[in-house]
Amino acid sequence: MLNTKFASCIQACSNCALVCETCASECLREDDVKMMARCIELDRDCANICAMAAILMSRGSEYAKELCALCAKVCRDCGEECSKHQTDHCQECATACMKCAEECERMAA
Amino acid sequence: MLNTKFASCIQACSNCALVCETCASECLREDDVKMMARCIELDRDCANICAMAAILMSRGSEYAKELCALCAKVCRDCGEECSKHQTDHCQECATACMKCAEECERMAA
Amino acid sequence: MLNTKFASCIQACSNCALVCETCASECLREDDVKMMARCIELDRDCANICAMAAILMSRGSEYAKELCALCAKVCRDCGEECSKHQTDHCQECATACMKCAEECERMAA
Amino acid sequence: MLNTKFASCIQACSNCALVCETCASECLREDDVKMMARCIELDRDCANICAMAAILMSRGSEYAKELCALCAKVCRDCGEECSKHQTDHCQECATACMKCAEECERMAA
């Protein structure tokens, strides 16, 4: 259905974008929001950059590869931060980020 | 992984957004672009509104329902236009739009 | 330069979107993030919906009016919440939101 | 009102994003859409990447610089293509793109 050449990377980016949106919202509902501030900050950037990477790949854009390189970087940073927190949403977000980082690194190579 | 209450609608919106992006790009590569102009126009709006609907639902936003009502409308219009064209990307887009319209109508109800 | 029919509303939405992005980021850097959680939540939705309203108007989209109606609502809610906080970024955000709400209400009428 | 450190680059990106959205829509309404296909394709990518650059700078994001480097590139490509077409919307878009490319190159340096 989607641009088949990049299907698994598009899927990983699209999923990671929404998992980051969910994680940021759930972090804001935690008792200790202060502790989650860095996580929310990274979730916001990661969500937007992943979403745009999925869009550019779906279009077959000539700029997709370069954005995927940046996306991999944000995903690594966000996944690392999320992995420090024990809440379910952070753990799930860490997993989605690491998966997406790997896919984007392959795309950008 | 995603906000489970809205999982199927999020999935339909997220998929429809990227299928519309692909369809618009493929339409631009057709020989007779003029014939696809209305399709591209609707694909662009549908892609953006579906993407935002998926984001608002993932956040558990209080504005998700209202955006889904608008999303259902754009999906109906875009799906109807796409269904007139015999290219694979338009036929696939029509299917994704109709599925998304149904999910969003349920959400907005 | 922009779609001149909607120029002042496009400008208000475009400005409000970025002021909300700034406000959310500044709120995350406050000592008492917990107190700003609702503000951040609304900033995020308001930023995205304002940005999309500016895009749809710039395109001359047939869905612009309806999105502006929703945009006015989010701007009212976000502006009201921001106006409760004495930080500069919240006060500036409240002003941008109220201005944008008025412009969008005119557009949607 | 906006993040003052990056104010002129944010303004250039924000403007360029919307001018590209307008240009793509106007190109689709031209008689010879085929001739504008490459312009529309670049307008779409340029609009999205400029919008995201404005957002990341407004947030004070650590990824803003790198995205601005990519943004400068897309703006150069889009501005060059637009400058070939004599329609007002393409000429205005070329100007907005070149201005934005310069600002982003400064940011990315």
Side-chain angles (χ1 to χ4, degrees):
Chain A
M1 188 145 32
L2 299 169
N3 196 316
T4 47
K5 238 190 336 183
F6 312 131
S8 70
C9 191
I10 292 173
Q11 192 51 49
C13 287
S14 175
N15 180 59
C16 190
L18 296 177
V19 172
C20 284
E21 294 284 1
T22 303
C23 185
S25 295
E26 293 297 329
C27 284
L28 281 169
R29 293 172 192 130
E30 294 289 336
D31 280 335
D32 189 349
V33 189
K34 182 88 184 155
M35 197 178 68
M36 315 311 271
R38 175 70 177 148
C39 191
I40 297 168
E41 186 185 20
L42 285 167
D43 279 339
R44 289 171 76 214
D45 286 354
C46 196
N48 291 162
I49 292 170
C50 285
M52 171 142 320
I55 287 170
L56 293 187
M57 285 184 281
S58 297
R59 289 179 186 168
S61 164
E62 63 216 82
Y63 308 103
K65 229 173 145 165
E66 226 161 319
L67 191 65
C68 281
L70 178 58
C71 193
K73 211 161 147 178
V74 190
C75 283
R76 288 272 168 227
D77 294 344
C78 188
E80 204 176 310
E81 175 63 27
C82 277
S83 69
K84 293 179 197 162
H85 305 283
Q86 295 311 313
T87 53
D88 282 357
H89 53 84
C90 285
Q91 289 295 314
E92 282 170 16
C93 195
T95 305
C97 286
M98 290 313 183
K99 165 92 181 124
C100 190
E102 278 167 38
E103 290 281 355
C104 283
E105 279 155 12
R106 236 191 313 268
M107 257 296 296
Chain B
M1 190 146 28
L2 300 169
N3 196 315
T4 47
K5 238 193 334 183
F6 311 131
S8 69
C9 191
I10 291 173
Q11 192 51 50
C13 287
S14 175
N15 180 58
C16 190
L18 296 178
V19 172
C20 284
E21 294 284 2
T22 304
C23 185
S25 295
E26 293 297 329
C27 284
L28 280 169
R29 292 172 193 131
E30 295 289 336
D31 281 332
D32 190 349
V33 189
K34 181 87 183 157
M35 197 178 69
M36 315 310 271
R38 176 69 177 149
C39 191
I40 298 168
E41 186 185 19
L42 286 166
D43 279 339
R44 289 170 77 213
D45 286 354
C46 195
N48 290 161
I49 293 169
C50 284
M52 171 142 320
I55 288 170
L56 292 187
M57 285 184 281
S58 297
R59 289 179 186 167
S61 163
E62 63 216 82
Y63 307 105
K65 228 174 145 164
E66 225 162 319
L67 191 65
C68 282
L70 177 58
C71 193
K73 212 161 146 177
V74 189
C75 283
R76 289 271 168 227
D77 295 344
C78 189
E80 204 176 308
E81 175 63 26
C82 278
S83 69
K84 293 179 197 162
H85 304 283
Q86 295 312 312
T87 53
D88 281 358
H89 54 85
C90 285
Q91 289 295 313
E92 282 169 17
C93 195
T95 305
C97 286
M98 290 313 184
K99 165 91 180 126
C100 190
E102 279 167 38
E103 289 281 353
C104 283
E105 279 154 12
R106 236 190 315 268
M107 258 295 297
Chain C
M1 190 145 29
L2 299 170
N3 196 315
T4 47
K5 236 188 341 181
F6 311 131
S8 70
C9 192
I10 291 173
Q11 192 51 49
C13 286
S14 175
N15 180 59
C16 191
L18 296 177
V19 172
C20 283
E21 294 284 1
T22 303
C23 185
S25 295
E26 293 297 330
C27 283
L28 281 169
R29 292 172 192 131
E30 294 290 336
D31 281 333
D32 190 350
V33 189
K34 180 88 184 154
M35 197 177 70
M36 314 311 270
R38 175 71 176 147
C39 191
I40 298 167
E41 185 185 19
L42 285 167
D43 279 338
R44 289 171 77 214
D45 286 354
C46 196
N48 291 162
I49 292 170
C50 285
M52 172 141 319
I55 288 170
L56 292 187
M57 285 184 281
S58 297
R59 289 179 186 166
S61 163
E62 64 215 83
Y63 308 104
K65 228 173 147 166
E66 226 162 317
L67 191 65
C68 282
L70 177 58
C71 192
K73 212 162 148 179
V74 189
C75 284
R76 288 272 168 226
D77 294 344
C78 188
E80 204 176 309
E81 174 64 27
C82 277
S83 70
K84 294 178 197 162
H85 305 283
Q86 295 313 310
T87 53
D88 282 357
H89 53 84
C90 284
Q91 289 295 314
E92 282 170 16
C93 195
T95 305
C97 286
M98 290 313 184
K99 165 91 181 127
C100 190
E102 278 167 38
E103 289 281 353
C104 283
E105 279 154 13
R106 237 191 313 269
M107 257 295 297
Chain D
M1 189 145 31
L2 300 169
N3 196 315
T4 47
K5 238 192 334 184
F6 312 130
S8 70
C9 192
I10 291 173
Q11 192 50 51
C13 287
S14 175
N15 180 58
C16 191
L18 296 177
V19 172
C20 284
E21 294 284 1
T22 303
C23 185
S25 295
E26 292 298 329
C27 283
L28 281 169
R29 292 172 193 130
E30 294 289 336
D31 281 334
D32 190 349
V33 189
K34 181 88 182 154
M35 197 178 69
M36 315 310 272
R38 175 70 176 149
C39 191
I40 298 168
E41 186 185 19
L42 285 166
D43 279 338
R44 290 171 75 213
D45 286 353
C46 195
N48 290 162
I49 292 169
C50 285
M52 171 140 322
I55 288 170
L56 293 188
M57 284 184 282
S58 297
R59 289 180 187 167
S61 163
E62 64 216 80
Y63 307 103
K65 230 174 144 163
E66 227 162 317
L67 191 65
C68 281
L70 178 58
C71 193
K73 212 161 144 177
V74 190
C75 284
R76 288 272 169 226
D77 294 343
C78 188
E80 204 177 310
E81 175 63 26
C82 278
S83 69
K84 293 178 197 163
H85 304 282
Q86 295 313 312
T87 53
D88 281 358
H89 53 85
C90 285
Q91 288 296 312
E92 282 168 18
C93 195
T95 304
C97 285
M98 290 313 183
K99 165 93 181 122
C100 191
E102 278 167 38
E103 290 281 353
C104 283
E105 279 154 12
R106 237 191 312 269
M107 257 296 296

mmCIF file of all heavy atoms in Angstrom, chain C residues 30-55:
data_model
loop_
_atom_site.group_PDB
_atom_site.id
_atom_site.type_symbol
_atom_site.label_atom_id
_atom_site.label_comp_id
_atom_site.label_asym_id
_atom_site.label_seq_id
_atom_site.Cartn_x
_atom_site.Cartn_y
_atom_site.Cartn_z
ATOM 1 N N GLU C 30 10.805 25.516 33.339
ATOM 2 C CA GLU C 30 10.471 26.157 34.623
ATOM 3 C C GLU C 30 10.794 25.215 35.788
ATOM 4 O O GLU C 30 10.854 23.992 35.606
ATOM 5 C CB GLU C 30 8.976 26.510 34.671
ATOM 6 C CG GLU C 30 8.537 27.566 33.672
ATOM 7 C CD GLU C 30 9.063 28.973 34.012
ATOM 8 O OE1 GLU C 30 9.354 29.232 35.200
ATOM 9 O OE2 GLU C 30 9.199 29.785 33.076
ATOM 10 N N ASP C 31 10.980 25.796 36.977
ATOM 11 C CA ASP C 31 11.235 24.960 38.154
ATOM 12 C C ASP C 31 10.036 24.075 38.481
ATOM 13 O O ASP C 31 10.165 22.892 38.715
ATOM 14 C CB ASP C 31 11.563 25.856 39.376
ATOM 15 C CG ASP C 31 13.001 26.347 39.314
ATOM 16 O OD1 ASP C 31 13.834 25.639 38.699
ATOM 17 O OD2 ASP C 31 13.284 27.437 39.849
ATOM 18 N N ASP C 32 8.872 24.697 38.482
ATOM 19 C CA ASP C 32 7.659 23.932 38.808
ATOM 20 C C ASP C 32 6.946 23.526 37.518
ATOM 21 O O ASP C 32 5.972 24.164 37.101
ATOM 22 C CB ASP C 32 6.733 24.786 39.696
ATOM 23 C CG ASP C 32 5.579 23.954 40.255
ATOM 24 O OD1 ASP C 32 5.403 22.796 39.796
ATOM 25 O OD2 ASP C 32 4.863 24.454 41.143
ATOM 26 N N VAL C 33 7.432 22.453 36.904
ATOM 27 C CA VAL C 33 6.858 21.994 35.625
ATOM 28 C C VAL C 33 5.429 21.498 35.825
ATOM 29 O O VAL C 33 4.569 21.706 34.976
ATOM 30 C CB VAL C 33 7.715 20.873 34.996
ATOM 31 C CG1 VAL C 33 7.231 20.573 33.580
ATOM 32 C CG2 VAL C 33 9.180 21.254 34.955
ATOM 33 N N LYS C 34 5.222 20.860 36.970
ATOM 34 C CA LYS C 34 3.885 20.306 37.293
ATOM 35 C C LYS C 34 2.794 21.367 37.126
ATOM 36 O O LYS C 34 1.722 21.100 36.596
ATOM 37 C CB LYS C 34 3.909 19.785 38.730
ATOM 38 C CG LYS C 34 2.610 19.166 39.230
ATOM 39 C CD LYS C 34 2.556 17.693 38.910
ATOM 40 C CE LYS C 34 1.225 17.050 39.302
ATOM 41 N NZ LYS C 34 0.966 15.864 38.478
ATOM 42 N N MET C 35 3.090 22.563 37.615
ATOM 43 C CA MET C 35 2.115 23.656 37.548
ATOM 44 C C MET C 35 1.823 24.067 36.095
ATOM 45 O O MET C 35 0.774 24.640 35.802
ATOM 46 C CB MET C 35 2.680 24.868 38.299
ATOM 47 C CG MET C 35 1.660 25.914 38.669
ATOM 48 S SD MET C 35 2.447 27.253 39.626
ATOM 49 C CE MET C 35 3.458 28.036 38.342
ATOM 50 N N MET C 36 2.770 23.770 35.204
ATOM 51 C CA MET C 36 2.632 24.166 33.798
ATOM 52 C C MET C 36 2.111 23.038 32.921
ATOM 53 O O MET C 36 1.985 23.221 31.698
ATOM 54 C CB MET C 36 3.988 24.639 33.244
ATOM 55 C CG MET C 36 4.775 25.582 34.118
ATOM 56 S SD MET C 36 3.781 26.971 34.721
ATOM 57 C CE MET C 36 4.047 28.169 33.407
ATOM 58 N N ALA C 37 1.800 21.898 33.500
ATOM 59 C CA ALA C 37 1.457 20.717 32.684
ATOM 60 C C ALA C 37 0.258 20.968 31.758
ATOM 61 O O ALA C 37 0.286 20.618 30.575
ATOM 62 C CB ALA C 37 1.207 19.513 33.580
ATOM 63 N N ARG C 38 -0.773 21.588 32.315
ATOM 64 C CA ARG C 38 -1.967 21.857 31.500
ATOM 65 C C ARG C 38 -1.654 22.869 30.387
ATOM 66 O O ARG C 38 -2.152 22.749 29.269
ATOM 67 C CB ARG C 38 -3.092 22.376 32.402
ATOM 68 C CG ARG C 38 -4.352 22.819 31.687
ATOM 69 C CD ARG C 38 -5.149 21.662 31.115
ATOM 70 N NE ARG C 38 -6.405 22.104 30.504
ATOM 71 C CZ ARG C 38 -6.971 21.532 29.446
ATOM 72 N NH1 ARG C 38 -6.420 20.463 28.876
ATOM 73 N NH2 ARG C 38 -8.107 21.986 28.939
ATOM 74 N N CYS C 39 -0.797 23.813 30.709
ATOM 75 C CA CYS C 39 -0.388 24.813 29.726
ATOM 76 C C CYS C 39 0.368 24.146 28.565
ATOM 77 O O CYS C 39 0.099 24.421 27.391
ATOM 78 C CB CYS C 39 0.488 25.859 30.411
ATOM 79 S SG CYS C 39 0.799 27.307 29.406
ATOM 80 N N ILE C 40 1.278 23.253 28.904
ATOM 81 C CA ILE C 40 2.054 22.535 27.875
ATOM 82 C C ILE C 40 1.127 21.695 26.999
ATOM 83 O O ILE C 40 1.249 21.663 25.776
ATOM 84 C CB ILE C 40 3.129 21.634 28.533
ATOM 85 C CG1 ILE C 40 4.136 22.486 29.320
ATOM 86 C CG2 ILE C 40 3.848 20.784 27.494
ATOM 87 C CD1 ILE C 40 5.052 21.682 30.249
ATOM 88 N N GLU C 41 0.192 21.021 27.662
ATOM 89 C CA GLU C 41 -0.761 20.173 26.932
ATOM 90 C C GLU C 41 -1.543 21.003 25.900
ATOM 91 O O GLU C 41 -1.674 20.608 24.730
ATOM 92 C CB GLU C 41 -1.729 19.528 27.942
ATOM 93 C CG GLU C 41 -2.685 18.530 27.317
ATOM 94 C CD GLU C 41 -3.717 18.004 28.318
ATOM 95 O OE1 GLU C 41 -3.933 18.658 29.371
ATOM 96 O OE2 GLU C 41 -4.307 16.951 28.046
ATOM 97 N N LEU C 42 -2.039 22.141 26.332
ATOM 98 C CA LEU C 42 -2.812 22.989 25.416
ATOM 99 C C LEU C 42 -1.923 23.641 24.366
ATOM 100 O O LEU C 42 -2.316 23.756 23.197
ATOM 101 C CB LEU C 42 -3.583 24.047 26.212
ATOM 102 C CG LEU C 42 -4.812 23.520 26.958
ATOM 103 C CD1 LEU C 42 -5.316 24.539 27.967
ATOM 104 C CD2 LEU C 42 -5.932 23.145 25.990
ATOM 105 N N ASP C 43 -0.731 24.055 24.763
ATOM 106 C CA ASP C 43 0.222 24.631 23.801
ATOM 107 C C ASP C 43 0.477 23.675 22.634
ATOM 108 O O ASP C 43 0.576 24.103 21.478
ATOM 109 C CB ASP C 43 1.589 24.902 24.474
ATOM 110 C CG ASP C 43 1.617 26.200 25.268
ATOM 111 O OD1 ASP C 43 0.790 27.085 25.006
ATOM 112 O OD2 ASP C 43 2.493 26.325 26.156
ATOM 113 N N ARG C 44 0.639 22.391 22.974
ATOM 114 C CA ARG C 44 0.946 21.415 21.919
ATOM 115 C C ARG C 44 -0.191 21.312 20.907
ATOM 116 O O ARG C 44 0.043 21.359 19.695
ATOM 117 C CB ARG C 44 1.210 20.027 22.525
ATOM 118 C CG ARG C 44 2.528 19.942 23.281
ATOM 119 C CD ARG C 44 2.616 18.632 24.044
ATOM 120 N NE ARG C 44 2.935 17.511 23.175
ATOM 121 C CZ ARG C 44 2.475 16.271 23.348
ATOM 122 N NH1 ARG C 44 1.644 15.970 24.337
ATOM 123 N NH2 ARG C 44 2.832 15.300 22.520
ATOM 124 N N ASP C 45 -1.419 21.181 21.395
ATOM 125 C CA ASP C 45 -2.559 21.084 20.475
ATOM 126 C C ASP C 45 -2.757 22.384 19.715
ATOM 127 O O ASP C 45 -3.030 22.388 18.515
ATOM 128 C CB ASP C 45 -3.843 20.733 21.247
ATOM 129 C CG ASP C 45 -3.875 19.273 21.694
ATOM 130 O OD1 ASP C 45 -2.964 18.509 21.305
ATOM 131 O OD2 ASP C 45 -4.807 18.890 22.429
ATOM 132 N N CYS C 46 -2.628 23.484 20.425
ATOM 133 C CA CYS C 46 -2.857 24.798 19.817
ATOM 134 C C CYS C 46 -1.814 25.061 18.722
ATOM 135 O O CYS C 46 -2.156 25.528 17.624
ATOM 136 C CB CYS C 46 -2.815 25.879 20.894
ATOM 137 S SG CYS C 46 -3.526 27.446 20.360
ATOM 138 N N ALA C 47 -0.577 24.732 19.002
ATOM 139 C CA ALA C 47 0.492 24.922 18.014
ATOM 140 C C ALA C 47 0.188 24.171 16.725
ATOM 141 O O ALA C 47 0.290 24.717 15.623
ATOM 142 C CB ALA C 47 1.830 24.447 18.592
ATOM 143 N N ASN C 48 -0.205 22.917 16.847
ATOM 144 C CA ASN C 48 -0.444 22.090 15.663
ATOM 145 C C ASN C 48 -1.681 22.519 14.882
ATOM 146 O O ASN C 48 -1.671 22.532 13.652
ATOM 147 C CB ASN C 48 -0.591 20.613 16.051
ATOM 148 C CG ASN C 48 0.699 19.994 16.544
ATOM 149 O OD1 ASN C 48 0.692 18.962 17.185
ATOM 150 N ND2 ASN C 48 1.828 20.633 16.247
ATOM 151 N N ILE C 49 -2.735 22.858 15.610
ATOM 152 C CA ILE C 49 -3.980 23.232 14.925
ATOM 153 C C ILE C 49 -3.843 24.608 14.273
ATOM 154 O O ILE C 49 -4.313 24.820 13.151
ATOM 155 C CB ILE C 49 -5.188 23.125 15.897
ATOM 156 C CG1 ILE C 49 -5.422 21.640 16.244
ATOM 157 C CG2 ILE C 49 -6.448 23.734 15.281
ATOM 158 C CD1 ILE C 49 -6.410 21.381 17.362
ATOM 159 N N CYS C 50 -3.173 25.535 14.931
ATOM 160 C CA CYS C 50 -2.902 26.848 14.311
ATOM 161 C C CYS C 50 -2.046 26.697 13.055
ATOM 162 O O CYS C 50 -2.315 27.342 12.034
ATOM 163 C CB CYS C 50 -2.166 27.769 15.283
ATOM 164 S SG CYS C 50 -3.200 28.448 16.579
ATOM 165 N N ALA C 51 -1.010 25.868 13.142
ATOM 166 C CA ALA C 51 -0.117 25.682 11.987
ATOM 167 C C ALA C 51 -0.893 25.119 10.803
ATOM 168 O O ALA C 51 -0.735 25.567 9.667
ATOM 169 C CB ALA C 51 1.036 24.759 12.362
ATOM 170 N N MET C 52 -1.749 24.147 11.088
ATOM 171 C CA MET C 52 -2.542 23.558 9.999
ATOM 172 C C MET C 52 -3.551 24.545 9.435
ATOM 173 O O MET C 52 -3.800 24.561 8.223
ATOM 174 C CB MET C 52 -3.251 22.308 10.488
ATOM 175 C CG MET C 52 -4.235 21.780 9.463
ATOM 176 S SD MET C 52 -4.264 20.002 9.363
ATOM 177 C CE MET C 52 -2.545 19.637 9.486
ATOM 178 N N ALA C 53 -4.136 25.381 10.289
ATOM 179 C CA ALA C 53 -5.078 26.400 9.803
ATOM 180 C C ALA C 53 -4.370 27.359 8.849
ATOM 181 O O ALA C 53 -4.898 27.691 7.777
ATOM 182 C CB ALA C 53 -5.691 27.160 10.981
ATOM 183 N N ALA C 54 -3.165 27.783 9.213
ATOM 184 C CA ALA C 54 -2.389 28.675 8.340
ATOM 185 C C ALA C 54 -2.092 28.003 6.997
ATOM 186 O O ALA C 54 -2.168 28.638 5.938
ATOM 187 C CB ALA C 54 -1.082 29.080 9.030
ATOM 188 N N ILE C 55 -1.788 26.725 7.034
ATOM 189 C CA ILE C 55 -1.497 25.969 5.804
ATOM 190 C C ILE C 55 -2.744 25.876 4.926
ATOM 191 O O ILE C 55 -2.698 26.160 3.722
ATOM 192 C CB ILE C 55 -0.953 24.560 6.152
ATOM 193 C CG1 ILE C 55 0.480 24.652 6.701
ATOM 194 C CG2 ILE C 55 -0.997 23.636 4.941
ATOM 195 C CD1 ILE C 55 1.014 23.364 7.298
#
